[in-house]
Amino acid sequence: EWRASYAYPQNLLRNVAKSGCQTEFTYIPDIDMVLSPGMDQRLENLMNSEEVQRCDKCAFVIPTFEIADSVKVFPTSKTQLVEMIANKTARPFHQKLFNINQKSSMLTEKWIKIDENPDQEIGYKVEKYIFKYEPLYVARADTPQFDERFIGFGMTRNTQVYEMYVAGYEFHVLANIFTNHAGFQTLSNRPSWRAKQQEANNAKFDEFAKELTAHYGRDPYNMIEKLPKMNLKNIHVAYSKSTKKSNQKSAK
């Protein structure tokens, strides 16, 4: 298949879209994320507020949730979504497969406990950055570019967020607005070619991190000291063995 041979240039395309956007603020979700009703107008009102306008280096995180396949209609309000989380028909994006993806946002610890209130759109500031944090956010269009050396899957979004963190950006989680993702993410839909792309991108991170430290003259995560212990170049990424077998059969 083409995906196994030609890694998709996600970051290149994100940069093309970002550079072509003529608005003051940008939001770059994945193609399969479904926005909640009225989200566009609520964001426009929020971005025009004094609280947002006075912060040049703020990113406003829009929580993303996986919705079970058994659900036929996506939630239209936070109240509905929280009920679905309680009924286990919704959960934070990548909660089971890659939980550090959204862990810094503290969605289950804080977000679901905030009552829906259209008059208070900003919930709280992210207090602790955790490596590989990968929020979907709205921010001014002059945020750092996505590094195009990371091709395919793995390290494409979170490296850009890491650069924002090093550059001194703050992340604020929005209290009411959210997006949906159809289906629960599981290891069964992770093929071997995707794992290989992730491993290849992991191997590029050490150089990237050192470049950022030199460029910004700061290392708030103490990353340079941590890199040898992290040993990203030699980490093997899990994938579905059944998917690999089915691909081999189809190739025959």
Side-chain angles (χ1 to χ4, degrees):
E1 294 183 3
W2 69 269
R3 286 181 180 274
S5 302
Y6 301 98
Y8 196 66
Q10 297 186 44
N11 280 357
L12 168 64
L13 297 176
R14 285 170 180 148
N15 287 337
V16 170
K18 190 168 178 284
S19 62
C21 189
Q22 299 179 31
T23 56
E24 182 182 4
F25 294 87
T26 59
Y27 171 55
I28 309 176
D30 288 344
I31 192 65
D32 54 357
M33 292 176 178
V34 180
L35 312 187
S36 52
M39 175 176 155
D40 55 342
Q41 187 59 56
R42 294 176 75 169
L43 283 175
E44 184 173 349
N45 294 340
L46 177 61
M47 294 305 110
N48 287 325
S49 68
E50 182 181 349
E51 187 174 6
V52 170
Q53 288 292 326
R54 65 172 179 247
C55 186
D56 291 331
K57 283 192 171 184
C58 284
F60 300 93
V61 177
I62 300 176
T64 302
F65 292 84
E66 300 173 1
I67 309 299
D69 288 330
S70 60
V71 176
K72 303 305 179 186
V73 180
F74 285 149
T76 58
S77 69
K78 179 179 181 178
T79 301
Q80 290 180 358
L81 176 61
V82 171
E83 290 176 356
M84 292 172 61
I85 294 172
N87 295 330
K88 300 186 184 305
T89 53
R91 68 189 187 195
F93 192 54
H94 281 313
Q95 184 182 50
K96 297 296 183 181
L97 193 61
F98 187 54
N99 70 334
I100 59 173
N101 179 280
Q102 304 295 319
K103 196 169 185 179
S104 292
S105 292
M106 301 188 72
L107 300 180
T108 55
E109 298 88 350
K110 283 188 175 183
W111 192 83
I112 64 172
K113 297 176 182 178
I114 300 175
D115 292 335
E116 187 167 16
N117 179 7
D119 295 326
Q120 183 61 46
E121 293 287 16
I122 300 177
Y124 50 90
K125 179 183 175 181
V126 171
E127 297 295 344
K128 183 180 180 182
Y129 168 86
I130 299 173
F131 180 50
K132 293 194 176 181
Y133 184 38
E134 196 168 296
L136 283 298
Y137 62 81
V138 175
R140 295 187 186 278
D142 60 356
T143 52
Q145 293 284 83
F146 292 84
D147 196 290
E148 295 173 14
R149 83 187 77 184
F150 300 103
I151 304 173
F153 285 92
M155 292 292 187
T156 56
R157 277 190 183 278
N158 63 51
T159 47
Q160 193 257 0
V161 172
Y162 175 67
E163 180 168 357
M164 290 173 67
Y165 169 69
V166 174
Y169 278 79
E170 296 179 357
F171 295 88
H172 299 264
V173 181
L174 298 187
N176 307 300
I177 299 171
F178 61 91
T179 56
N180 304 297
H181 180 280
F184 284 169
Q185 299 283 295
T186 64
L187 188 62
S188 63
N189 56 24
R190 290 291 189 267
S192 58
W193 58 260
R194 178 168 175 158
K196 290 179 181 178
Q197 291 179 6
Q198 289 179 267
E199 290 171 357
N201 282 334
N202 282 343
K204 301 173 185 176
F205 181 76
D206 285 23
E207 180 182 26
F208 173 76
K210 291 173 183 177
E211 288 176 7
L212 291 189
T213 299
H215 177 72
Y216 291 101
R218 60 195 305 266
D219 184 11
Y221 200 70
N222 200 21
M223 183 65 79
I224 302 304
E225 183 178 322
K226 293 177 180 178
L227 286 175
K229 294 181 180 179
M230 293 166 65
N231 194 24
L232 290 173
K233 293 182 179 179
N234 296 304
I235 289 180
H236 294 290
V237 177
Y239 60 90
S240 171
K241 301 297 192 295
S242 59
T243 302
K244 182 178 181 180
K245 290 178 182 178
S246 63
N247 288 341
Q248 290 173 341
K249 289 180 180 179
S250 62
K252 293 177 182 178

